[in-house]
């Protein structure tokens, strides 16, 4: 075993103190204000998540989505009404506005 120099022991003591700080040097335990703030943040997040899930439940539609909605909006802008017949004609014409409008004008 090598012989220790007189300065090595105090250096080891300093290293131990730095590795585990004294109780006065340790960071303080979370105060009640910090705990309350984190609880409030968690509560807000939970409320927002519940609101999103409620909105998702409200937006559920029982019938299938209409495939040619963009073209139907253009037909409505041209003066045609949004009826099951106009949707049927648009579907039969594969969303072609020219064919659908002429077919609706003829009938």
């Amino acid at each position: 075993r090598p012989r220790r120099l007189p300065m090595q022991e105090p250096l080891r003591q300093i290293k131990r103190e730095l590795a585990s700080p004294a109780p006065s040097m340790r960071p303080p335990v979370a105060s009640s204000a910090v705990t309350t703030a984190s609880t409030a943040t968690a509560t807000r997040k939970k409320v927002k998540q519940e609101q999103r899930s409620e909105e998702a439940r409200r937006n559920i539609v029982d019938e299938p989505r209409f495939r040619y909605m963009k073209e139907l909006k253009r037909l409505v802008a041209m003066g045609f009404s949004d009826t099951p017949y106009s949707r049927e004609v648009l579907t039969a014409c594969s969303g072609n506005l020219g064919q659908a409008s002429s077919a609706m004008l003829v009938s």
Side-chain angles (χ1 to χ4, degrees), residues 49-90:
Q49 185 179 13
E50 288 173 359
Q51 287 174 346
R52 282 191 214 116
S53 65
E54 179 63 32
E55 288 175 12
R57 274 187 245 123
R58 272 189 268 136
N59 290 334
I60 294 175
V61 181
D62 293 334
E63 60 191 44
R65 184 178 72 118
F66 182 61
R67 185 174 185 171
Y68 302 107
M69 200 64 205
K70 184 177 176 182
E71 288 80 3
L72 179 64
K73 286 181 181 179
R74 287 185 183 166
L75 275 179
V76 170
M78 290 175 9
F80 294 98
S81 59
D82 179 4
T83 61
Y85 174 72
S86 58
R87 289 175 180 237
E88 190 178 309
V89 170
L90 260 176

Side-chain angles (χ1 to χ4, degrees), residues 23-52:
S24 62
M25 300 292 286
R26 291 187 187 134
V29 178
S31 67
S32 61
V34 172
T35 306
T36 305
S38 63
T39 304
T41 303
T43 304
R44 269 189 250 116
K45 286 182 181 178
K46 188 175 182 180
V47 168
K48 281 186 178 181
Q49 185 179 13
E50 288 173 359
Q51 287 174 346
R52 282 191 214 116

